[in-house]
Amino acid sequence: MKRPNIKCPYCGSRAILRPASALGKTSPCYQGKEFYVCARYPRCDSYVAAHERSRLPMGTLANAPLRRKRHDAHLAFDRLWKDGYMTIDEAYRWLQVQLGIPKTEAHIAMFSEYRCEQVIRLCSAFTAAQAA
Ligand SMILES: [Zn+2]
């Protein structure tokens, strides 16, 4: 399979597929995981996880603040299905409708900081309304 030509959105350098250990991620949950990492890493601290099977990037490369935002957005979103309010498929459909975006774009790894904040707000409002 041809490797996609992926660029770092911060500095324009090429992104290189590297094992998690290259990022200092050595815990067992990162075993076999790969990341697209900016060629200028660690000077440019930007990367995104790769899908294990296809080895394609899960989204766009993210710097530390954006990675934190995406992590927080995922925690808020995952509560919708992990806490049993809906199935995971329903949760993704809900997200698409709330954000008015197609299925192909409804992946948190593709989201900007602004969109992550939207997700956190929407999911928190949803779970709060359920609990009330
Ligand atoms: Zn970069």
Side-chain angles (χ1 to χ4, degrees):
M1 190 201 76
K2 193 180 173 296
R3 283 292 161 67
N5 186 17
I6 294 151
K7 286 212 156 92
C8 171
Y10 303 99
C11 74
S13 297
R14 225 165 68 84
I16 300 163
L17 190 61
R18 302 178 71 180
S21 59
L23 298 168
K25 296 182 188 294
T26 52
S27 77
C29 67
Y30 287 111
Q31 183 97 50
K33 296 251 163 56
E34 293 178 301
F35 289 80
Y36 283 86
V37 184
C38 175
R40 289 179 66 241
Y41 181 87
R43 270 212 298 155
C44 181
D45 176 20
S46 157
Y47 56 83
V48 69
H51 287 285
E52 271 181 80
R53 277 162 194 269
S54 67
R55 303 180 87 195
L56 291 169
M58 289 194 184
T60 57
L61 271 70
N63 63 10
L66 180 53
R67 291 196 300 269
R68 245 190 321 273
K69 273 273 156 38
R70 286 177 178 175
H71 176 79
D72 292 348
H74 240 302
L75 284 182
F77 173 74
D78 288 350
R79 280 196 60 196
L80 299 185
W81 57 274
K82 283 187 177 167
D83 289 358
Y85 297 116
M86 46 182 103
T87 67
I88 186 164
D89 289 339
E90 286 165 348
Y92 273 102
R93 266 199 301 278
W94 178 86
L95 189 66
Q96 290 160 37
V97 171
Q98 294 296 316
L99 297 174
I101 57 175
K103 190 177 182 179
T104 49
E105 289 171 24
H107 299 286
I108 291 169
M110 295 177 177
F111 289 177
S112 64
E113 289 191 47
Y114 172 77
R115 185 143 275 176
C116 286
E117 274 161 21
Q118 257 187 310
V119 171
I120 294 164
R121 255 197 324 273
L122 288 164
C123 293
S124 304
F126 179 87
T127 48
Q130 299 300 308

